[in-house]
Amino acid sequence: TAFVGPVKTPLERRPEVPPRAPDGHPAGAYRPAPRLDVLSAALVALALVAGGALRFVARSSLWLDEAQTATTAALPLGDIADALRADGFPPLFYWVLHGWLAVVGDGDAAARALSGVAGVAALAAVWWAGRHLGGTRVAWMATAVLATSPFAIRYSTEVRMYSVLVGGTALGFLLVARALERPRLGRLAAVAAVTAGMLLLHYWTLFLLVVTVVALAGRWWLRRDGASWRVLLAVGAGTAALLPWLGTLRYQLEHTGTPWSRGTQPLTAMEKTFSAWGGGAHVDARLLGALLIGLAAWALVRHRRQGTWPLGIVAGGTLALGVALATLTGSAFQPRYTAVVFPLVVLLVAVGLASLPDQRVRTALLGAIVVLGLVGGVRNAVDERSQAGEVADVIADGAASGDVAVFCPDQLGPGVDRLLPDGVRTVVFPTGADAARVDWVDYEERNEAARPGPFARRLLAAAEAAGATVWYVWSPNYRTYGRSCEALEQDLEATGRSGARVVPRDRAVPERSWLTRYGPP
């Protein structure tokens, strides 16, 4: 609607607002019936109540990314930007989380609650975006789809910025669409502010920004309308917020990157993404993912001349650009990065649902989406993401002051470290640094040059001098480590200490590890 509507005034005159029907949408555009039937309304209510509650329920302890984020955000405010040079993200979420932790505390539930609040706010943003796109029926259906989305629920229960990105993208769509209709100063300033915030949340926003700018430039080139030009200027003004961060971004690109990944292939990335949108590698999740993609495609085919096509172009273009660059550069791709795309897909799904001619089919598909989504949402609430809590409990129960917990790889450290009592010292292989945060700077080169034998001898010499027990937390098959962690266990055994495996490695948990206890000789 707003992206492709006709513009009848020249550049130097104020753009004319397209004529509107009584429901507030452009005359002649697709407008579904404004009301939901009773059963659909009940499904929407169930989605809002259950989906909202699930955004604050997760029993698992924090896994690596969450623990690293919480630990970094807990640093003094002035130290956060410098600490992120050894990581790979911009600073805005960490600054906000710093203030949040200072108010509500730094426990797992408290830290995750910020993302839960952002996830609820994203529902409101999607409702307004859906209403602007297709009326109240589209608004409620989009909200129900997002409310029960296992993808959205997962990242509303994770100490990361992805639930904020979901809401920011939906809000950005609404603000750009409204500014294109009537480019007032306040609306343009809001576009600039959202652009700035999104860029400082996650670097995948750069792909969304590039595709959006190309789409706006194309509209301006074809129509020569002043609104497109003004919105382009607003987006450009928002990008200025990233300029002070460019030095850190350059350092991150040169020294951190994504050494934990071998890159991706386009088909693999698409399969992983569609599966993640449905809730992961489960039959019900794949069915939900296929249903979402099918309805989004139906919206594009059914309303190819309406406001759905710009959504499809921006969403598809952003995903294609990100995957292409990850493939060409060998950098990481994770479905969670598509949080900058997902709300646009949700809006397409809602249009597809609302435009189905048969009410019974429409209600049945909405019910299927809600039920399948809640199945994935409950699974997210009860599943373990890491064995960090189990490992930390065993160490805390058996450790004495001065004992040492050693981690190989260091990626197992942050989740356990934050749960251990103060008297237990933590070190990571190969640097010997504490386990609170992973230092990603020149990570691959450092690990490939490491030698387990000398590290084990130094570690045990210090432990024997203090009469301390060594607790070894490890797992094989981490990229850049080769067989170093296995070799380190053999070197610890070779010193005369007998090891007792006290926590088994649980293959059902994504971040899993063994815990071996080496008592004094």
Side-chain angles (χ1 to χ4, degrees), residues 23 28 55 67 122 220 225 232 243 281 285 333 397 400 407 413 448 466 493 497-498:
D23 65 359
R55 280 162 167 75
W220 176 83
D225 65 302
L232 274 170
L243 294 178
F333 169 82
D397 288 343
F407 298 87
E448 289 179 349
E493 295 279 359
R497 292 197 177 203
S498 59

Side-chain angles (χ1 to χ4, degrees), residues 398 469-472 498-502 515-520:
T469 295
V470 174
W471 303 83
Y472 183 41
S498 59
R501 187 76 49 85
V502 290
L515 171 63
T516 305
R517 178 184 182 275
Y518 293 94

Side-chain angles (χ1 to χ4, degrees), residues 313-374:
I313 290 170
V314 173
T318 301
L319 186 57
L321 180 59
V323 170
L325 286 178
T327 301
L328 292 173
T329 62
S331 58
F333 169 82
Q334 291 294 327
R336 56 183 176 267
Y337 302 162
T338 66
V340 300
V341 170
F342 185 65
L344 305 181
V345 176
V346 167
L347 291 172
L348 289 174
V349 170
V351 171
L353 271 174
S355 64
L356 291 169
D358 190 305
Q359 176 179 308
R360 291 170 298 180
V361 174
R362 185 169 60 240
T363 303
L365 289 179
L366 177 61
I369 289 173
V370 169
V371 171
L372 290 172
L374 290 178

Side-chain angles (χ1 to χ4, degrees), residues 98 114 117 140 160 165 170 186 280 326 359 363 468 505 514:
H98 175 90
L114 174 61
V117 171
W140 285 118
R160 301 292 284 152
L165 288 172
Q359 176 179 308
T363 303
R505 188 166 170 260
W514 282 298

Side-chain angles (χ1 to χ4, degrees), residues 33 107 147 156 178 196 277 386 411 455 492:
S156 294
R178 287 171 60 84
W277 287 352
S386 172
Q411 296 172 47
F455 179 90
L492 290 171

Side-chain angles (χ1 to χ4, degrees), residues 3 31 35 57 75 109 122-123 136 144 204 214 266 298 324 351 364 378 422 425 434 440 493 498 518:
F3 284 100
R31 296 188 304 278
R35 296 180 181 177
V57 181
L75 294 171
L123 299 179
T136 54
W204 256 63
V214 170
W298 166 252
V351 171
V378 171
D422 291 339
R425 185 168 65 94
D434 71 75
W440 295 106
E493 295 279 359
S498 59
Y518 293 94

Side-chain angles (χ1 to χ4, degrees), residues 88-355:
F89 294 92
L92 182 57
F93 182 76
Y94 297 83
W95 289 339
V96 175
L97 182 60
H98 175 90
W100 177 269
L101 297 177
V103 173
V104 304
D106 61 356
D108 289 1
R112 283 173 169 156
L114 174 61
S115 295
V117 171
V120 172
L123 299 179
V126 164
W127 190 92
W128 283 107
R131 184 177 184 275
H132 185 92
L133 181 64
T136 54
R137 171 174 286 174
V138 170
W140 285 118
M141 288 190 167
T143 307
V145 171
L146 186 65
T148 55
S149 162
F151 182 85
I153 290 172
R154 167 62 189 263
Y155 293 108
S156 294
T157 61
E158 191 161 289
V159 191
R160 301 292 284 152
M161 68 289 295
Y162 300 108
S163 66
V164 185
L165 288 172
V166 169
T169 298
L171 180 61
F173 161 76
L174 176 63
L175 293 174
V176 168
R178 287 171 60 84
L180 285 171
E181 289 180 354
R182 185 171 293 177
R184 295 174 176 174
L185 182 59
R187 293 183 178 184
L188 295 172
V191 169
V194 170
T195 300
M198 292 284 284
L199 284 172
L200 291 174
L201 281 171
H202 198 282
Y203 293 134
W204 256 63
T205 303
L206 287 166
F207 305 144
L208 177 64
L209 178 67
V210 168
V211 175
T212 301
V213 166
V214 170
L216 289 170
R219 172 186 159 124
W220 176 83
W221 178 260
L222 292 173
R223 303 174 184 274
R224 293 298 197 274
D225 65 302
S228 298
W229 180 246
R230 292 185 180 94
V231 173
L232 274 170
L233 290 177
V235 171
T239 61
L242 192 61
L243 294 178
W245 191 254
L246 288 179
T248 299
L249 172 58
R250 180 179 178 180
Y251 182 87
Q252 290 170 335
L253 290 172
E254 292 176 349
H255 295 282
T256 61
T258 56
W260 41 268
S261 172
R262 297 182 185 276
T264 190
Q265 297 295 328
L267 292 179
T268 302
M270 293 298 99
E271 188 276 331
K272 290 172 62 177
T273 296
F274 298 156
S275 178
W277 287 352
H282 304 274
V283 173
D284 56 279
R286 295 179 187 277
L287 179 59
L288 177 57
L291 188 55
L292 296 179
I293 297 303
L295 285 167
W298 166 252
L300 293 172
V301 172
R302 177 68 175 81
H303 303 288
R304 59 185 180 276
R305 295 186 178 179
Q306 303 298 339
T308 57
W309 266 97
L311 282 177
I313 290 170
V314 173
T318 301
L319 186 57
L321 180 59
V323 170
L325 286 178
T327 301
L328 292 173
T329 62
S331 58
F333 169 82
Q334 291 294 327
R336 56 183 176 267
Y337 302 162
T338 66
V340 300
V341 170
F342 185 65
L344 305 181
V345 176
V346 167
L347 291 172
L348 289 174
V349 170
V351 171
L353 271 174
S355 64

